[in-house]
Amino acid sequence: NNPNPVEERKIEMKIYSEPRMRPWNDPLRCIPLGMIGLATSGTVIGGWYPAEATCPDVTEFEQLDMCAGHPSAPPENVYHYHTYTPCVQMPVCGEPSTIFGVAIDGIPIYGPWDEDGRQLTKADLDECGGKTDS
């Protein structure tokens, strides 16, 4: 039901080769708006939080498809994900998630299971929705 068409686009994105955490006092410490990374499928990963302050997250105002993605508004029309999707890699319960993508700051993005194969909850994550290796 998304009114935006999907179009092939060439995208240029700079990603650090070594992970770089932003300073604690940076207002965009977690993620900026727009493109925040690239999935292993080659699909863009967009930020989870919207520009509209009244919306708690993307699912509140976007029409996402079965892969948790959608095309952006014209003129870009870039198909992108906002979250982990089994359309890129099928999760296996009880097994550690493999790499799902990489953020523009060079930090790898993994799926919903930790290194012990336990499904992560919000309580396991930091303020940026991630966690440090144990």
Side-chain angles (χ1 to χ4, degrees):
N1 293 336
N2 189 300
N4 304 324
V6 176
E7 295 180 7
E8 186 174 328
R9 293 279 186 226
K10 179 180 178 183
I11 300 218
E12 191 170 309
M13 184 182 296
K14 292 183 180 184
I15 297 175
Y16 288 105
S17 59
E18 295 290 327
R20 294 185 182 193
M21 286 297 291
R22 293 175 186 245
W24 286 104
N25 60 352
D26 187 330
L28 293 177
R29 175 171 156 61
C30 295
I31 56 170
L33 296 173
M35 296 186 294
I36 64 154
L38 196 64
T40 56
S41 64
T43 303
V44 169
I45 301 171
W48 181 253
Y49 300 102
E52 294 85 358
T54 58
C55 297
D57 61 50
V58 168
T59 59
E60 296 294 320
F61 75 101
E62 293 287 4
Q63 294 177 342
L64 305 178
D65 64 18
M66 62 189 257
C67 291
H70 69 121
S72 56
E76 292 84 16
N77 298 50
V78 175
Y79 183 82
H80 59 281
Y81 304 122
H82 285 283
T83 186
Y84 174 83
T85 172
C87 293
V88 172
Q89 64 180 210
M90 185 55 71
V92 179
C93 292
E95 298 209 5
S97 294
T98 58
I99 190 167
F100 168 69
V102 64
I104 56 175
D105 55 11
I107 295 174
I109 302 169
Y110 289 87
W113 282 270
D114 69 11
E115 61 277 2
D116 297 320
R118 187 178 60 84
Q119 188 166 8
L120 296 165
T121 67
K122 285 186 178 184
D124 299 315
L125 306 176
D126 63 21
E127 75 278 9
C128 296
K131 73 186 245 2
T132 305
D133 289 340
S134 54

